[in-house]
Amino acid sequence: MTENIAFLTGITGQDGAYLAKFLVDKGYAVHGLLRRSASADVIATRLKWIGVYDKVTLHDGNLTDISSLIRILSDVRPSEVYNLAAQSFVKSSWQQPLLTGHVTGLAAANMLEAVRIICPEARFYQASSSEMYGLIQEPVQSETTPFYPRSPYAAAKLYAHWMTVNYRESFGMHASSGILFNHESPLRGIEFVTRKITAAVAQIKLGKQKTLSLGNLDAKRDWGHARDYTKAMWLMLQQDVPDDYVIATGRTTSVREFCSLAFSHVGLNMDDHVVIDPKYLRAAEVDVLHGDASKAHARLGWKSETTLEQLVTEMVEADLTRFKLHEHL
Ligand code: NDP
Ligand code: GDP
């Protein structure tokens, strides 16, 4: 039997860690792109946390440097390529619009080109985003809902999304795009609102912090668990025909409700601790996202398995454990 070989960009991020674990458990040889950092001590913290650091092979390179991608693909010869790397934080995309355009948008074309040149038979996954719906054109968003990006991040993702569709249609590549709604976990970056909340709740509970500053509490998101969502990525690449899929829970919740659930979990009241700081407001807001994943249910047999309450509990408990041990992630 030929070995399944996967190559992941963004392997050191939240989804990269969960997907690497999933694929290692399935018996894949897992390779990942590692961009050089001066802080070598924090590299691959997530892969260590999830227990696969010594089970994957990391390759030096950068998504913006196509020569590194060509070299790595020539060495690895993957059967599946998952393009997860991005400047993924929406708020930062207004501070660094060009870098975001370069990494999150244009560099996805680097990856598509490198695959087309070196291993055109490999199956390709692009990490598209519900942020592409932005100023929503339908109350519940599916694959047929028109896009209306509201940030440099979303505009860059839209370019990468259409390039993926274009490479499928132009070159017959097995290229699929997952339009994933927000998904979180104990490995979520600390700057995203869910993790910012659960980390603060843990610190407040442990008496190390008193207040939590947030921006727009009325924004609503369709939040799922990264563990469930990375499985959907793999399912897309197991289909005979490549396609695009919305991945969502079908439930939308406000930041305020998420916050309330997290504080309640440790017996605290958010009103005693949360303050609003305008610096966390956005230049243009995505008020509400609410996904319809019926196509993924029907064709992939995928469904979200973790409830919001379970997600909040898992994240708060993980942060309590971390901060008791004085660990940071
Ligand atoms: P993270 O921010 O946790 O991870 C981003 C990854 O990209 C990191 O491994 C980072 O490396 C890497 N990266 C950034 N710039 C470069 C570069 N120039 N070259 C190589 N690698 C680079 O994101 P998530 O895991 O949460 O998300 C995965 C993907 O899915 C992203 O593309 C994101 O935009 C998209 N997405 C995420 C959603 C979510 O809710 N999580 C929703 C929809 C889409 P380093 O560790 O060195 O910083
Ligand atoms: P996004 O959907 O990819 O932008 O994910 P985020 O977790 O960064 O933000 C989700 C929503 O939470 C957005 O509508 C933000 O405006 C809102 N929000 C409110 N307060 C904060 C905050 O302090 N930090 C972040 N990151 N988002 C906040």
Side-chain angles (χ1 to χ4, degrees):
M1 204 177 88
T2 52
E3 191 186 23
N4 285 319
I5 302 172
F7 175 63
L8 282 58
T9 72
I11 194 168
T12 55
Q14 168 188 258
D15 290 6
Y18 278 96
L19 183 61
K21 165 99 176 102
F22 177 83
L23 295 171
V24 163
D25 289 348
K26 281 214 164 294
Y28 278 63
V30 176
H31 296 258
L33 181 68
L34 184 71
R35 64 169 167 163
R36 197 254 157 196
S37 162
S39 313
D41 53 334
V42 296
I43 281 180
T45 314
R46 291 185 175 96
L47 292 169
K48 288 174 189 157
W49 188 92
I50 214 161
V52 294
Y53 180 60
D54 53 354
K55 300 188 175 99
V56 301
T57 309
L58 300 174
H59 301 260
D60 256 12
N62 197 294
L63 200 64
T64 58
D65 181 343
I66 193 171
S67 70
S68 67
L69 305 178
I70 287 178
R71 170 180 51 78
I72 296 165
L73 291 184
S74 304
D75 289 347
V76 171
R77 298 274 158 193
S79 46
E80 295 176 15
V81 174
Y82 296 85
N83 186 38
L84 309 181
Q87 188 304 93
S88 70
F89 188 42
V90 171
K91 184 119 175 35
S92 288
S93 76
W94 279 284
Q95 275 112 34
Q96 303 178 48
L98 300 181
L99 177 130
T100 303
H102 200 184
V103 177
T104 306
L106 205 53
N110 278 346
M111 198 66 246
L112 281 161
E113 264 300 271
V115 171
R116 185 182 72 80
I117 293 165
I118 304 298
C119 48
E121 301 306 317
R123 297 183 170 198
F124 179 86
Y125 174 85
Q126 171 59 24
S128 287
S129 165
S130 56
E131 287 291 321
M132 300 188 308
Y133 295 118
L135 187 63
I136 54 166
Q137 303 293 297
E138 289 176 339
V140 180
Q141 301 87 50
S142 72
E143 294 81 3
T144 55
T145 304
F147 298 119
Y148 194 131
R150 288 273 274 176
S151 62
Y153 166 81
K157 278 286 178 194
L158 199 51
Y159 170 78
H161 176 74
W162 281 115
M163 285 299 278
T164 304
V165 174
N166 183 260
Y167 269 54
R168 179 167 76 221
E169 294 176 354
S170 306
F171 303 114
M173 278 171 52
H174 194 295
S176 295
S177 177
I179 307 172
L180 271 52
F181 282 62
N182 296 51
H183 46 281
E184 321 295 311
S185 74
L187 296 182
R188 184 62 143 150
I190 199 85
E191 67 276 34
F192 292 89
V193 77
T194 55
R195 182 76 205 296
K196 182 176 169 181
I197 291 169
T198 63
V201 163
Q203 296 279 33
I204 292 168
K205 183 67 184 174
L206 295 172
K208 297 179 179 180
Q209 185 176 324
K210 284 197 163 39
T211 57
L212 163 62
S213 300
L214 292 172
N216 178 13
L217 298 184
D218 296 320
K220 296 176 102 177
R221 291 291 182 275
D222 181 331
W223 280 297
H225 198 303
R227 189 173 44 231
D228 298 340
Y229 284 39
T230 47
K231 183 177 175 190
M233 298 174 183
W234 175 79
L235 281 169
M236 285 177 218
L237 298 205
Q238 308 319 303
Q239 306 308 303
D240 291 339
V241 179
D243 206 342
D244 306 322
Y245 294 90
V246 160
I247 299 297
T249 69
R251 169 179 172 189
T252 190
T253 308
S254 67
V255 171
R256 187 188 311 281
E257 286 170 80
F258 186 102
C259 205
S260 171
L261 280 171
F263 275 96
S264 308
H265 180 70
V266 295
L268 296 173
N269 184 345
M270 68 176 274
D271 296 334
D272 299 331
H273 302 282
V274 172
V275 292
I276 302 302
D277 185 336
K279 87 172 174 207
Y280 295 112
L281 299 175
R282 298 190 169 177
E285 180 61 290
V286 172
D287 294 319
V288 54
L289 291 171
H290 188 179
D292 171 5
S294 330
K295 180 173 164 185
H297 297 164
R299 303 224 191 132
L300 306 178
W302 176 87
K303 66 174 176 27
S304 178
E305 288 170 25
T306 313
T307 65
L308 184 72
E309 288 72 14
Q310 289 167 333
L311 174 67
V312 171
T313 300
E314 188 182 327
M315 290 178 70
V316 173
E317 289 296 327
D319 277 327
L320 281 167
T321 305
R322 268 187 197 125
F323 295 130
K324 277 182 201 152
L325 297 171
H326 305 289
E327 281 177 357
H328 296 277
L329 186 76

